[in-house]
């Protein structure tokens, strides 16, 4: 009887020692989400749109320099993706003149109405608004010379799909600018490394990057071009 009990105790001890390795094996086999898959994003802003027109914003963002870098000149077609109040839209519209076009894209119907009213008040007849989708700006194919996502990218729920669909609207040599701040996705910012990884997945390459858009270096300005372009 004593030998049987000893054998039983040894068997139980061996079983207990095997359990941790089995658990580790199960954990190793558990599926892991790939990079960039449904990362955290910030809730799109739906409040008072006039806050985007804060005094001194032109100087802080050096928006004229931004437009120079993106090649926004007379007669060009520009996409303001995540237009919000139309702060950038109206500045780009004045820059491209009557021979150019600015598409103001937003997924918020209130924003689209706001920009329509603003363009009418400021007598900017070259502004066209588009109610886009989270994964598609719904821009006309092959029309855009430059696009800018200004403090918007961290709110984009389907960033890779959006950038892929944007490619079809770009003319050869078109530049896509992304201005945002470093963050974790849900704090109204997203890391530049995340943006670059997603842009690569969508078929873009980094042309150049800058940090002049804010003195504390938290903001960054990335300029992308389509891999299929020059």
């Amino acid at each position: 009887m004593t030998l049987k009990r000893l054998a039983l105790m040894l068997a139980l001890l061996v079983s207990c020692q095997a359990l941790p390795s089995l658990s580790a094996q199960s954990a190793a086999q558990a599926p892991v989400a790939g990079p960039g898959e449904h990362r955290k994003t910030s809730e799109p802003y739906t409040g008072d749109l006039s806050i985007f027109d804060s005094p001194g914003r032109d100087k802080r963002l050096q928006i004229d320099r931004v437009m120079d870098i993106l090649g926004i000149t007379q007669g060009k077609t520009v996409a303001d993706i995540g237009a919000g109040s139309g702060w950038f839209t109206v500045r780009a519209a004045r820059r491209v003149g009557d021979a150019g076009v600015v598409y103001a894209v937003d997924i918020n119907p209130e924003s689209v109405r706001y920009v329509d009213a603003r363009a009418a008040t400021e007598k900017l007849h070259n502004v066209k608004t588009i109610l886009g989708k989270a994964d598609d700006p719904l821009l006309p194919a092959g029309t855009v010379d430059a696009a800018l996502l200004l403090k918007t990218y961290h709110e984009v729920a389907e960033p890779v799909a959006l950038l892929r669909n944007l490619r079809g609207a770009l003319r050869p040599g078109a530049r896509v600018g992304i201005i945002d701040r470093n963050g974790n996705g849900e704090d109204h910012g997203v890391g530049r490394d995340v943006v670059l990884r997603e842009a690569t997945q969508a078929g873009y390459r980094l042309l150049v990057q800058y940090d002049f858009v804010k003195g504390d270096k938290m903001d960054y300005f990335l300029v992308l071009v389509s891999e299929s372009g020059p």
Side-chain angles (χ1 to χ4, degrees), residues 52-215:
F52 295 110
D53 290 84
S54 59
R57 196 179 189 206
D58 292 70
K59 184 176 181 180
R60 288 196 304 274
L61 292 178
Q62 300 187 46
I63 199 63
D64 285 330
R65 186 178 175 188
V66 168
M67 288 193 283
D68 287 342
I69 290 168
L70 293 177
I72 298 174
T73 57
Q74 285 281 325
K76 297 294 187 179
T77 298
V78 179
D80 181 5
I81 301 175
S85 70
W87 182 87
F88 174 67
T89 294
V90 299
R91 283 155 178 78
R94 296 188 190 110
R95 173 75 77 103
V96 302
D98 291 339
V101 175
V102 178
Y103 291 106
V105 183
D106 208 286
I107 62 172
N108 180 4
E110 178 57 32
S111 176
V112 170
R113 289 190 290 269
Y114 190 97
V115 176
D116 275 332
R118 181 172 189 169
T121 299
E122 301 192 26
K123 295 180 169 45
L124 295 170
H125 306 295
N126 56 354
V127 172
K128 298 182 180 181
T129 54
I130 296 176
L131 182 62
K133 298 180 179 180
D135 62 352
D136 194 339
L138 300 177
L139 289 157
T143 59
V144 175
D145 297 298
L148 180 63
L149 289 84
L150 175 59
K151 301 297 186 72
T152 296
Y153 194 85
H154 58 267
E155 296 181 356
V156 178
E158 300 290 343
V160 176
L162 180 82
L163 290 175
R164 281 180 181 150
N165 286 320
L166 172 60
R167 285 180 66 196
L170 301 178
R171 286 179 173 155
R175 294 185 173 190
V176 177
I178 297 177
I179 294 177
D180 221 301
R181 65 180 293 277
N182 285 300
N184 63 15
E186 58 184 353
D187 60 351
H188 299 287
V190 59
R192 76 174 68 196
D193 58 328
V194 175
V195 178
L196 290 172
R197 182 178 68 234
E198 292 171 349
T200 299
Q201 292 173 358
Y204 294 81
R205 61 181 171 84
L206 176 67
L207 183 65
V208 65
Q209 59 183 314
Y210 301 92
D211 291 301
F212 66 79
V213 290
K214 202 166 187 181

Side-chain angles (χ1 to χ4, degrees), residues 215-229:
D216 62 8
K217 306 299 183 185
M218 283 295 292
D219 286 18
Y220 52 82
F221 174 28
L222 308 178
V223 182
L224 311 172
V225 291
S226 173
E227 281 286 8
S228 59

